[in-house]
């Protein structure tokens, strides 16, 4: 059983790491960003409410996101939360939800990365519209130009919020709202700090050996 929270700035490699870990652990990858983008695509009420915040690089209001996570968590045993919590309020609500569900977080993996690297990673990031696989035009290109390795779709796109101006805003929001949660979890004794400047494959191996030791 494994309950993990992935914490770190946008571009630290949370999604890529989660995709690698998912291959080795039987674990549900819960990315609030992915869920919200799906809601926008399907033009649901939640999607419509979230759209403007996401496009500006602002946070979607806590209560909308927390409700969504609560619904997901009630139906899974093992999970990897990616992009949640992002505020102290969300972190406290997550504690309450897990308490009600009789679940405990095993590790909060905190990935930090240099700002210049973050900007490079985000501006070169491409995502498969069909299956969500993540690529980078230089660091992690698909095997065949413009074609997804996983599902062969030809629809690799750049997220609207991965442009330079919005990235700067997202980083500011991260430092102000999300970074303080690192101390919250450190004081709970569950924090595991890893170097987000490293390649995701290396981090995945490092984490798997730590998880296996127990
Ligand atoms: P991500 O895919 O994690 O980079 O998230 C993309 C965007 O979705 C963020 O910039 C926020 O606008 C929104 N979002 C994702 N997760 C949360 C969250 N836990 N709280 C508030 N907004 C969120």
């Amino acid at each position: 059983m494994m309950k993990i929270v992935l914490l770190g700035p946008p571009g630290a490699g949370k999604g890529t790491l989660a995709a690698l870990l998912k291959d080795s652990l039987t674990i549900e990858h819960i990315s609030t960003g992915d869920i919200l983008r799906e809601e926008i695509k399907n033009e649901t009420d939640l999607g419509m409410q979230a759209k403007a915040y996401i496009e500006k690089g602002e946070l979607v209001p806590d209560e909308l996101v927390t409700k969504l996570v609560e619904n997901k968590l009630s139906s899974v045993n093992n999970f990897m939360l990616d992009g949640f919590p992002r505020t102290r309020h969300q972190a406290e609500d997550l504690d309450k939800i897990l308490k009600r569900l009789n679940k405990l977080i095993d590790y909060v993996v905190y990935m930090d990365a240099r700002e210049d690297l973050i900007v490079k990673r985000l501006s070169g990031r491409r995502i498969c519209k069909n299956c969500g696989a993540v690529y980078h035009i230089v660091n992690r290109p698909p095997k065949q130009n413009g074609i997804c390795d996983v599902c062969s779709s030809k629809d690799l796109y750049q997220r609207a919020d991965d442009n330079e101006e919005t990235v700067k805003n997202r980083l500011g929001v991260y430092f102000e709202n999300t970074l303080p949660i690192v101390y919250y979890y450190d004081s709970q004794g569950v924090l595991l700090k890893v170097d987000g400047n490293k390649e995701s494959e290396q981090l995945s191996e490092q984490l798997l050996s730590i998880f296996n030791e127990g």
Side-chain angles (χ1 to χ4, degrees):
M1 299 277 238
M2 197 58 95
K3 295 164 190 64
I4 302 168
V5 170
L6 294 174
L7 204 60
K14 301 186 293 295
T16 308
L17 179 65
L20 291 171
L21 288 174
K22 228 182 120 186
D23 287 342
S24 308
L25 305 165
T26 320
I27 197 163
E28 187 92 9
H29 175 202
I30 303 174
S31 155
T32 44
D34 283 353
I35 299 171
L36 290 169
R37 280 184 289 278
E38 190 65 24
E39 297 278 333
I40 292 175
K41 197 168 98 187
N42 296 332
E43 298 183 357
T44 64
D45 281 350
L46 172 60
M48 293 303 98
Q49 290 179 72
K51 192 168 191 267
Y53 296 100
I54 294 183
E55 281 176 354
K56 280 186 269 177
E58 303 287 338
L59 293 181
V60 174
D62 286 338
E63 55 281 11
L64 294 181
V65 188
T66 303
K67 190 87 214 126
L68 199 149
V69 169
E70 185 166 20
N71 290 340
K72 284 266 169 197
L73 287 182
S74 55
S75 63
V76 297
N77 281 322
N78 296 323
F79 60 80
M80 204 161 20
L81 271 173
D82 162 5
F84 184 94
R86 258 182 160 96
T87 63
R88 170 77 184 227
H89 192 219
Q90 290 179 12
E92 287 172 359
D93 277 345
L94 177 61
D95 280 348
K96 287 183 206 148
I97 292 167
L98 292 175
K99 204 167 177 187
R100 269 204 298 280
L101 297 171
N102 224 348
K103 292 174 178 163
L104 275 179
I105 294 172
D106 295 296
Y107 296 102
V108 173
V109 177
Y110 168 43
M111 315 170 70
D112 201 5
R114 288 198 326 266
E115 212 165 311
D116 59 322
L117 203 61
I118 287 174
V119 175
K120 268 192 206 141
R121 281 177 176 168
L122 294 180
S123 56
R125 175 158 74 177
R126 297 292 182 275
I127 298 166
C128 173
K129 197 152 215 160
N130 183 47
C131 76
V134 181
Y135 299 95
H136 187 280
I137 48 173
V138 180
N139 306 337
R140 192 182 292 274
K143 290 192 186 84
Q144 273 181 284
N145 193 16
I147 300 176
C148 178
D149 294 346
V150 181
C151 73
S152 301
S153 159
K154 289 188 180 143
D155 212 350
L156 304 186
Y157 78 107
Q158 180 172 33
R159 269 171 54 175
D161 60 348
D162 276 348
N163 67 76
E164 202 173 326
E165 196 188 330
T166 314
V167 165
K168 279 192 191 138
N169 198 20
R170 286 161 66 199
L171 274 173
V173 166
Y174 169 78
F175 287 123
E176 190 179 332
N177 299 283
T178 312
L179 191 59
I181 319 179
V182 171
Y183 311 108
Y184 176 77
Y185 285 121
D186 200 15
S187 70
Q188 291 189 7
V190 287
L191 199 72
L192 185 62
K193 188 173 177 187
V194 298
D195 183 0
N197 300 307
K198 287 190 185 159
E199 290 297 319
S200 303
E201 281 77 6
Q202 239 180 311
L203 291 181
S204 164
E205 277 174 31
Q206 183 190 347
L207 286 173
L208 286 173
S209 72
I210 294 173
F211 296 162
N212 285 334
E213 278 165 21

